[in-house]
Amino acid sequence: PKLYPETHAVRLDPIRNIQLFTQIQVAGLVALWILKASPLGILFPVLIALLVPLRLALRRWYREEELAALDPDEEMEEMEGALAGGDIHG
């Protein structure tokens, strides 16, 4: 973890939280893949839409700061630039 930048999720969250978040993401990917390949593939958009409530439900187990580090809206380079005093939008 010492080799990662200060803004990296490995530096901000415990490894156990990162592993659990990754397992949730993999489970979602597997569910989407299985649904897509099945005769019920027509319901694929419904499962995609259910990812939003799932993301909101993660707030029960993760603090907002942890979710922001694990699933950032910006690219890591933009976040590092902002922390260094640069403009993230320019």
Side-chain angles (χ1 to χ4, degrees):
K2 290 188 279 185
L3 299 177
Y4 290 97
E6 291 291 325
T7 58
H8 200 278
V10 172
R11 301 283 300 261
L12 301 174
D13 292 329
I15 294 296
R16 185 178 179 104
N17 284 355
I18 295 170
Q19 291 172 340
L20 178 62
F21 189 80
T22 302
Q23 290 172 352
I24 292 168
Q25 287 182 316
V26 169
L29 176 65
V30 168
L32 288 169
W33 196 317
I34 290 172
L35 181 67
K36 180 185 76 71
S38 76
L40 295 174
I42 191 81
L43 297 176
F44 184 81
V46 173
L47 195 54
I48 291 289
L50 289 176
L51 291 176
V52 173
L54 172 64
R55 175 66 165 78
L56 295 175
L58 287 175
R59 292 181 182 168
R60 289 181 159 189
W61 299 285
Y62 292 96
R63 293 187 325 266
E64 199 60 41
E65 300 83 32
E66 292 174 331
L67 284 174
L70 290 169
D71 190 21
D73 290 335
E74 296 99 13
E75 294 296 323
M76 292 308 291
E77 294 83 21
E78 292 175 349
M79 290 176 63
E80 290 169 4
L83 289 176
D87 182 17
I88 64 170
H89 301 293

